[in-house]
Amino acid sequence: MREIAAADDAELAARAARGEGPAFDALALRWQDRIGRYAAAAAGGDADLAAQIAQESLVRLYGALPRFRGEATLGTLVYRLSARAAADAFRRLGRDRRRLAPLAAEGAEDPPAAAPGPEEAAIRADEAAALRRALAALDPESRGLIYLKEAEGMGLAELGRVFGLGEGTLKSRLSRIRARLRASLEEEGYGID
Amino acid sequence: MASTERRAIELGPALRALAAASAPGQLDPPAAMRTARRRRAAALARVGLAAVAASLALGLPLAVRAASSRRLADPAAASAASAEFAEGVLAPRVATRAGLEAEIDRYIVDLWGSDWSLAPSGAGGADRGTAEAGDEL
């Protein structure tokens, strides 16, 4: 048996499914940034909710691993579980999933961090605020969809497996999401590349 | 004259930067494992309870049916196990064997329909919380 550090995702998943704690630790460590970013995107800027969604995704991943047959990538499973965790979190909170305006407004008034990190430096504070407001008008699944497509570069086939949607439906949803984002951003003087 | 030129936001990098800025830090895999195991144990307990309830739901009326086929006219003389059920639930409402059987059928249907965990298939989430339908990827 290979050392954990050298094991690929499939092997770690199989070992974690048999109850090997260190294998699950390693798998979680490998995926936690991606899970965290997805959770943050779906949560629409609510850091506490993002943390809940990310941790819940990990709980569901551990529970789902014994059923994972390896016919899809582990990423498909991870993002599918994260998407459901996000949907359930919003349902539980009883929030209007289409409106996170107060959060976006708070974010817009926050002063920029003193020394933005490399990720944050990729977007200016005013652009970030405008984009956050535009995203707040979307539902969590749409935010997750556009995030995986544009930020993670996920293809339509895998997106379809993650969200359980056909390619035609996906294309039209993505098109509508982009149109809504574009319209919101144009009101603030921005365009989309 | 003020410029009307729009500044273009590159969507992919911008979304990634926003998500990274509000992403949680370290997750807690041991806590996740504990929670998942607790949910699994709770799900198994629910399955056990459902099995017991199903046995009662099917077994008790069958016992009553067996006893009543011989002693319908005298519920009090039925077996100790079925007497209470027959007297308390059925006897006040039925006078004939056909009526008794209809009442038993109704009782079973009511019982199955009253609790999702007793549903024979498809309607429940016996291990909901540990894994979900469709996760067999």
Side-chain angles (χ1 to χ4, degrees):
Chain A
M1 190 180 285
R2 283 187 291 175
E3 288 301 313
I4 279 179
D8 61 17
D9 280 355
E11 182 180 341
L12 286 180
R15 290 166 66 173
R18 292 195 295 268
E20 267 189 54
F24 186 67
D25 285 345
L27 199 61
L29 186 64
R30 208 174 272 183
W31 278 88
Q32 71 175 0
D33 286 350
R34 282 170 283 186
I35 292 173
R37 284 196 302 270
Y38 178 85
D46 183 334
D48 289 341
L49 189 58
Q52 287 174 34
I53 292 169
Q55 184 67 19
E56 176 64 20
S57 302
L58 214 51
V59 172
R60 294 182 186 204
L61 177 62
Y62 187 74
L65 283 176
R67 297 180 177 196
F68 180 58
R69 299 190 300 249
E71 291 172 7
T73 66
L74 187 69
T76 301
L77 177 66
V78 167
Y79 286 124
R80 178 189 284 202
L81 296 170
S82 298
R84 289 185 187 164
D88 290 345
F90 274 88
R91 207 172 293 129
R92 265 198 313 276
L93 287 171
R95 293 184 179 188
D96 181 347
R97 289 182 286 174
R98 294 186 176 276
R99 297 202 183 281
L100 280 168
L103 289 167
E106 282 169 24
E109 287 166 12
D110 287 343
E119 297 265 26
E120 290 169 76
I123 184 168
R124 292 167 32 151
D126 56 342
E127 292 173 354
L131 184 55
R132 210 178 285 130
R133 281 190 291 273
L135 289 166
L138 302 175
D139 61 90
E141 187 175 280
S142 293
R143 286 194 291 266
L145 248 173
I146 196 72
Y147 169 78
L148 288 180
K149 180 77 179 75
E150 299 292 340
E152 297 290 342
M154 189 178 280
L156 285 177
E158 190 172 2
L159 272 178
R161 285 193 289 271
V162 168
F163 291 96
L165 298 172
E167 195 170 314
T169 308
L170 260 179
K171 282 180 179 170
S172 63
R173 272 196 71 177
L174 284 167
S175 171
R176 282 201 304 273
I177 293 168
R178 280 199 199 91
R180 288 187 66 183
L181 286 178
R182 184 176 295 112
S184 299
L185 288 169
E186 280 177 357
E187 283 178 14
E188 304 205 34
Y190 295 97
I192 292 181
D193 253 358
Chain B
M1 198 168 108
S3 168
T4 56
E5 189 183 341
R6 293 187 191 285
R7 281 180 292 168
I9 294 177
E10 210 178 333
L11 199 52
L15 286 171
R16 193 179 173 90
L18 265 191
S22 58
Q26 288 226 319
L27 301 180
D28 188 347
M33 283 189 278
R34 282 196 301 276
T35 304
R37 285 178 182 141
R38 205 164 45 237
R39 288 183 192 176
R40 188 176 295 161
L44 287 173
R46 280 201 302 273
V47 170
L49 281 174
V52 170
S55 300
L56 286 173
L58 290 173
L60 193 53
L62 288 176
V64 173
R65 186 192 294 248
S68 64
S69 65
R70 295 188 304 272
R71 299 173 178 166
L72 177 62
D74 183 11
S79 72
S82 62
E84 187 179 344
F85 178 81
E87 285 181 336
V89 178
L90 300 176
R93 289 191 273 172
V94 295
T96 65
R97 182 192 171 96
L100 174 64
E101 290 186 349
E103 190 67 24
I104 289 171
D105 289 344
R106 222 172 5 253
Y107 173 77
I108 292 172
V109 168
D110 286 349
L111 204 58
W112 281 98
S114 65
D115 182 349
W116 65 267
S117 64
L118 292 175
S121 65
D127 63 348
R128 186 180 296 153
T130 56
E132 298 174 48
D135 290 338
E136 300 87 349
L137 290 169

